[in-house]
Amino acid sequence: MTQHQSTQTMKPATAAKKLGVYLEATPAEFREGVVSRAELNALQADPPQWLRDLRRDGPHPRPVVAAKLGVSISGLARGGVTEPLTTEQIEALKQERPEWLERERATQAGVRKEAARLKQRERESAENAESGESGD
């Protein structure tokens, strides 16, 4: 019995998400076709000019905007940012430092701090379990 290796493909939206770009800003030929795993790997390894430009200038999808601003995607929504932003718009927000951005950055910092605390507690519990169970 021979197995045929099928070419793995994905929708353009999935490929755009994996590439970290806003689908509507990609070229029509990218949006209208399907993307094979090999094509995705090639785009990641040697990005064409349109992909380099999109990554540098945007418009960027919400996860990228959130990361560049140091907030969560929910924080963007609470701040009223629902559309993709360009790098220039993101930099302007960083300079303006609106109240919502400062608040959401503080919230995100608290979330990260709590996650780190829990991870450290887990690590300490695991170490104690390995070394101290027969310590009576």
Side-chain angles (χ1 to χ4, degrees):
M1 195 184 227
T2 57
Q3 287 186 330
H4 296 285
Q5 185 93 12
S6 65
T7 303
Q8 210 179 11
T9 61
M10 62 194 81
K11 294 178 182 175
T14 303
K17 187 174 183 179
K18 289 179 181 287
L19 292 169
V21 295
Y22 181 57
L23 178 63
E24 277 67 36
T26 61
E29 60 269 11
F30 181 86
R31 288 191 310 268
E32 294 166 1
V34 293
V35 181
S36 72
R37 174 64 61 188
E39 289 169 328
L40 178 69
N41 291 340
L43 287 169
Q44 289 172 323
D46 186 21
Q49 189 62 47
W50 66 263
L51 182 54
R52 289 195 301 269
D53 292 346
L54 267 181
R55 286 177 168 169
R56 183 186 61 242
D57 302 325
H60 303 287
R62 285 179 304 161
V64 173
V65 173
K68 286 179 178 277
L69 289 174
V71 301
S72 67
I73 294 172
S74 300
L76 283 180
R78 285 190 293 270
V81 178
T82 57
E83 297 296 317
L85 299 179
T86 63
T87 300
E88 189 176 310
Q89 291 169 312
I90 292 168
E91 291 305 317
L93 273 174
K94 286 179 176 179
Q95 294 299 316
E96 291 167 17
R97 299 176 65 136
E99 182 201 330
W100 72 264
L101 180 57
E102 295 302 310
R103 185 176 56 247
E104 292 300 334
R105 281 181 164 174
T107 299
Q108 191 70 1
V111 168
R112 285 191 200 108
K113 186 175 179 181
E114 179 64 8
R117 185 187 70 78
L118 292 173
K119 190 172 185 177
Q120 179 63 31
R121 193 171 83 182
E122 255 179 51
R123 209 173 305 129
E124 289 170 357
S125 293
E127 288 170 4
N128 289 341
E130 287 176 7
S131 65
E133 282 186 333
S134 59
D136 282 331

